[in-house]
Amino acid sequence: MTIAIDGPSGSGKSSVSREVATRLGLRYLDTGAMYRALTWAALQDGIDLADRAAVAEHGAGLDLHMVTDPVTPTVRVGSTDLSRAIREPRISAAVSAVATNLEVRADMRHRQRSLIAAARQEGAGIVVEGRDITTVVAPDAEQRILLSASEQTRLARRAQELAQDSVHQSEDATRDQVLRRDRDDATVSAFYQPADGVVGIDTSHLTFDQVVDAVLQVAHPATHDIPDAPLNEGAR
């Protein structure tokens, strides 16, 4: 099966998606990492991210490899492991210019759907997270979920993530990475409110384990193996 999870920055979608995939024995795909990888590659090769045609051309030929093991997800361009490099602040600050490039998005959707199809063919399926997975990339997924959180919560989570990675930056830079990126990305995809048939879960006041339990409860009809977990009101 496919579990599609969307949400803004700091909603918890990446860490929760990985945990859900691990518990269910599914593959895991972070689609945002794919845009980050292209951002890194374009900057590495001196391409102006404002030159949309050049970025799209570079993306079409990108030798991108996504390892979808939820325990050790890996992003490679050629033989270079970018799993850490794509999380650098300079990539976070620049990635929206790539993620809002419509030609790039079309190419990435094709790659993402191929990875989903391979996971379904080879094993139990996959958890896919991003911005437009529930509505564009995998609208036929067995389970479609949108995670949300208050602005204050999302900023606090992002700051905590940076601290854990020993990355020091100003509050304004963190706000820019979260709120400005979401605002930019919202021009090409809708991820603030759940579309018809998509279950919404507000994670603002939930712990990590509570969010995981809520997602597993939504997935229960398709898995038949997950015990009941209390759902937050926002998921109903």
Side-chain angles (χ1 to χ4, degrees):
M1 69 172 179
T2 300
I3 300 176
I5 300 179
D6 285 334
S9 301
S11 60
K13 63 182 183 295
S14 295
S15 54
V16 168
S17 295
R18 283 184 63 182
E19 181 64 19
V20 168
T22 300
R23 292 196 193 184
L24 296 181
L26 304 178
R27 310 304 288 180
Y28 162 70
L29 177 61
D30 173 3
T31 61
M34 300 172 73
Y35 293 102
R36 285 174 173 268
L38 176 53
T39 303
W40 180 91
L43 292 175
Q44 191 76 0
D45 291 340
I47 295 174
D48 181 359
L49 299 186
D51 187 341
R52 291 179 173 267
V55 173
E57 182 178 359
H58 199 64
L62 190 68
D63 186 18
L64 176 63
H65 303 273
M66 303 295 294
V67 177
T68 56
D69 180 348
V71 178
T72 54
T74 307
V75 183
R76 293 199 312 272
V77 169
S79 60
T80 304
D81 185 344
L82 299 179
S83 303
R84 291 189 61 83
I86 61 172
R87 306 299 172 184
E88 295 174 358
R90 70 183 185 97
I91 303 299
S92 296
V95 66
S96 284
V98 173
T100 55
N101 184 318
L102 296 183
E103 287 188 63
V104 168
R105 295 194 73 82
D107 176 61
M108 290 298 182
R109 282 198 299 269
H110 175 74
R111 294 174 186 254
Q112 291 155 11
R113 287 169 179 158
S114 295
L115 288 164
I116 292 170
R120 292 177 66 94
Q121 183 176 11
E122 297 168 2
I126 190 167
V127 179
V128 189
E129 55 104 342
R131 304 286 209 189
D132 61 352
I133 312 305
T134 63
T135 56
V136 179
V137 176
D140 56 348
E142 283 79 3
Q143 302 297 337
R144 297 185 297 151
I145 300 165
L146 186 139
L147 301 183
S148 62
S150 68
E151 179 179 305
Q152 180 180 5
T153 298
R154 293 190 291 117
L155 287 170
R157 286 173 178 168
R158 180 57 179 163
Q160 184 178 28
E161 289 173 1
L162 291 171
Q164 290 173 345
D165 292 337
S166 298
V167 176
H168 304 286
Q169 66 179 29
S170 69
E171 182 178 338
D172 286 343
T174 301
R175 178 176 291 273
D176 177 76
Q177 284 187 15
V178 174
L179 303 184
R180 191 266 307 162
R181 275 182 51 210
D182 282 348
R183 185 170 60 250
D184 290 349
D185 289 357
T187 63
V188 294
S189 56
F191 51 83
Y192 285 116
Q193 297 295 329
D196 290 345
V198 177
V199 176
I201 302 176
D202 185 346
T203 70
S204 299
H205 304 294
L206 299 181
T207 66
F208 172 76
D209 287 336
Q210 288 174 327
V211 180
V212 171
D213 286 343
V215 172
L216 289 174
Q217 183 174 338
V218 173
H220 176 66
T223 64
H224 307 292
D225 293 327
I226 303 303
D228 289 342
L231 275 178
N232 176 265
E233 284 294 322
R236 295 178 183 169

